[in-house]
Amino acid sequence: MLRWIYILMFSMNLMATEYCDSYTLYEKGDLIESKRLLDSLAFKGDTKAQNLLALVNFYSSKMSATQKWFQRAATKGDLKAAYNLGIYNYMNANIKQSEKWMHKAEVLNEAKFALGVLFTRNNPQKAKAYFYLPAVEGNLFAKAHLCVMPNFSKDSNNAKYQKLCQGFQEQASLITGKFYDTPKQYGSINKALYYLKYAVDQGNAEAMNLYGSLLYKRRGQSDEANALLYFLKAADKGNVEAKVNAAWIYYVGQKWTRKPALGYKML
Amino acid sequence: MSAVKEKSAKAKFYMGILHIRGWEFSHQTVKTDVNVGYEFIKMAAKEGDTEAMQYMINNGASREEQKMYKKQLQACFKTEEKKRAMHFLYDGC
């Protein structure tokens, strides 16, 4: 009996070491070698390895394998894999599936935040409730999202939300705006512009520069005069990036925005 | 104060482009001076501007320089990728 326990402990130890080796390789960016080690572990049913193998496949652009391994680990109850599968589905615009897997991983603060983001579309009051828990525990994105959302007159939690958001509105506006600007797959220029507006109105230079860049990104040269206005305002407040952006518009601009001499002076 | 003096890498890259392309492009504000242009772009690449690195790889860098810029660019992309990966969760050791 004791002999079997020793054998079991030894093989578990071996699996942990193998996982650690593949993890180190993944962190170093050696995806091929990492995948080689993870493959055997994943086929033995190690959910940690299955989750990491899905990520290795994701960064190797093998999407069906990514989904397969996330799903295998998530159905066996791995919370991180369930969360990842939720994100993966969200990236593929499969919102229903995303919601399903996020609910399964709901114990994790990250999943609560993700559920908040999902509910902002159709149930903002519920979204706020989801943002609140991770926000209290220090998740800055959740706090920012909670604070940029309007208060609902019948919401009994308004007082605790207001207490948490006191003095944080401007930063919340900037953080949420940035969140929707990057990375690409979550991005929505209009959403980012909407959330940034408060910080812009408060005179936040970083927000003004980002706002100008987004206006230019959205409509290109047809909105360059508007973008330039925000760049100049931010540059006046000492934002160097905005100065460069304004200078460049002075160079490549059309009609009255073309003032190369001024652009050169600013550069 | 100009953006180049305020140590903006992007400003240096744009300044480099203006010097390389000269009057025709820069609306008679900067005379063509390819050497000065490359100096600016090299400075921008050294300070981590990815557009400048890409420019140096595609134009005007020697083979050894190209290797160096490619390495630098890859490191930048890796950092970007890590930022992207922050959205996924996995177990450490």
Side-chain angles (χ1 to χ4, degrees):
Chain A
M1 180 67 183
L2 208 61
R3 200 172 135 204
W4 285 112
I5 292 174
Y6 277 133
I7 290 172
L8 189 71
M9 277 170 68
F10 177 73
S11 65
M12 275 169 74
N13 205 12
L14 204 67
M15 272 169 87
T17 321
E18 235 175 291
Y19 177 80
C20 274
D21 290 345
S22 50
Y23 167 81
T24 314
L25 287 165
Y26 171 78
E27 284 284 295
K28 275 185 192 165
D30 189 349
L31 297 182
I32 297 170
E33 210 36 46
S34 173
K35 184 178 180 298
R36 197 182 59 80
L37 289 179
L38 283 169
D39 260 337
S40 64
L41 287 176
F43 279 109
K44 278 178 201 160
D46 182 339
T47 55
K48 257 181 8 178
Q50 287 171 346
N51 185 37
L52 191 58
L53 181 59
L55 280 180
V56 169
N57 278 305
F58 179 77
Y59 290 115
S60 314
S61 304
K62 290 173 182 159
M63 293 309 156
S64 60
T66 304
Q67 190 171 4
K68 181 183 92 181
W69 288 115
F70 273 151
Q71 201 133 15
R72 277 205 191 175
T75 43
K76 275 187 203 157
D78 188 299
L79 293 176
K80 286 176 183 167
Y83 169 83
N84 289 342
L85 193 55
I87 292 280
Y88 179 80
N89 277 302
Y90 185 72
M91 285 160 66
N92 291 314
N94 199 343
I95 305 295
K96 265 195 178 174
Q97 281 294 313
S98 172
E99 219 176 288
K100 176 187 145 187
W101 289 106
M102 281 304 174
H103 274 300
K104 293 203 176 186
E106 211 176 310
V107 188
L108 302 172
N109 265 344
E110 288 87 349
K112 284 188 195 109
F113 169 64
L115 280 166
V117 172
L118 288 170
F119 279 120
T120 43
R121 295 168 307 119
N122 50 18
N123 193 345
Q125 203 166 329
K126 204 169 176 184
K128 283 186 95 168
Y130 270 114
F131 285 138
Y132 182 73
L133 293 165
V136 171
E137 284 181 28
N139 184 322
L140 214 59
F141 285 123
K143 192 176 171 184
H145 274 74
L146 176 73
C147 298
V148 292
M149 289 178 81
N151 283 329
F152 301 100
S153 53
K154 284 178 189 166
D155 196 341
S156 56
N157 295 320
N158 274 342
K160 66 178 186 186
Y161 295 156
Q162 270 166 355
K163 195 178 164 196
L164 189 73
C165 294
Q166 232 168 16
F168 189 68
Q169 256 88 4
E170 189 184 321
Q171 222 187 333
S173 157
L174 181 61
I175 292 170
T176 319
K178 272 187 184 171
F179 178 83
Y180 284 106
D181 176 39
T182 50
K184 260 190 212 160
Q185 54 265 54
Y186 310 104
S188 158
I189 292 183
N190 287 335
K191 260 191 200 174
L193 286 169
Y194 170 78
Y195 287 122
L196 276 173
K197 191 74 175 85
Y198 181 83
V200 169
D201 291 341
Q202 296 299 309
N204 186 306
E206 196 185 345
M208 283 174 187
N209 179 46
L210 188 56
Y211 199 83
S213 312
L214 289 170
L215 286 176
Y216 195 79
K217 214 188 221 178
R218 187 175 63 169
R219 297 223 174 99
Q221 282 198 317
S222 64
D223 214 8
E224 69 185 10
N226 232 340
L228 181 63
L229 267 174
Y230 287 102
F231 289 147
L232 290 176
K233 275 187 199 171
D236 263 353
K237 286 181 176 278
N239 188 304
V240 184
E241 235 177 273
K243 205 183 254 187
V244 178
N245 288 335
W248 194 246
I249 285 195
Y250 277 141
Y251 263 108
V252 296
Q254 294 169 331
K255 295 180 188 168
W256 71 267
T257 47
R258 180 176 290 183
K259 290 175 185 165
L262 196 56
Y264 182 66
K265 210 174 143 192
M266 286 179 94
L267 268 186
Chain B
M1 201 196 284
S2 75
V4 171
K5 280 183 188 157
E6 284 183 77
K7 293 177 180 172
S8 160
K10 186 59 81 193
K12 282 173 195 159
F13 171 65
Y14 284 153
M15 202 55 129
I17 295 284
L18 295 183
H19 275 94
I20 288 170
R21 296 200 187 164
W23 275 12
E24 198 186 324
F25 178 73
S26 67
H27 313 284
Q28 319 230 323
T29 54
V30 184
K31 259 191 184 177
T32 310
D33 192 334
V34 178
N35 291 332
V36 174
Y38 277 124
E39 278 310 307
F40 269 118
I41 294 179
K42 273 182 192 173
M43 271 194 275
K46 210 175 175 186
E47 285 167 28
D49 186 83
T50 48
E51 242 182 311
M53 289 173 213
Q54 196 72 58
Y55 189 91
M56 285 308 290
I57 291 168
N58 296 334
N59 310 277
S62 64
R63 218 175 247 188
E64 264 184 29
E65 275 178 326
Q66 268 190 3
K67 247 188 193 173
M68 183 189 76
Y69 287 125
K70 273 184 188 166
K71 220 176 179 183
Q72 214 179 327
L73 199 60
Q74 231 169 12
C76 288
F77 285 147
K78 257 187 197 166
T79 323
E80 273 298 305
E81 202 135 282
K82 275 210 167 156
K83 270 189 207 166
R84 269 209 314 151
M86 271 169 61
H87 290 272
F88 288 114
L89 301 176
Y90 52 95
D91 292 286
C93 262

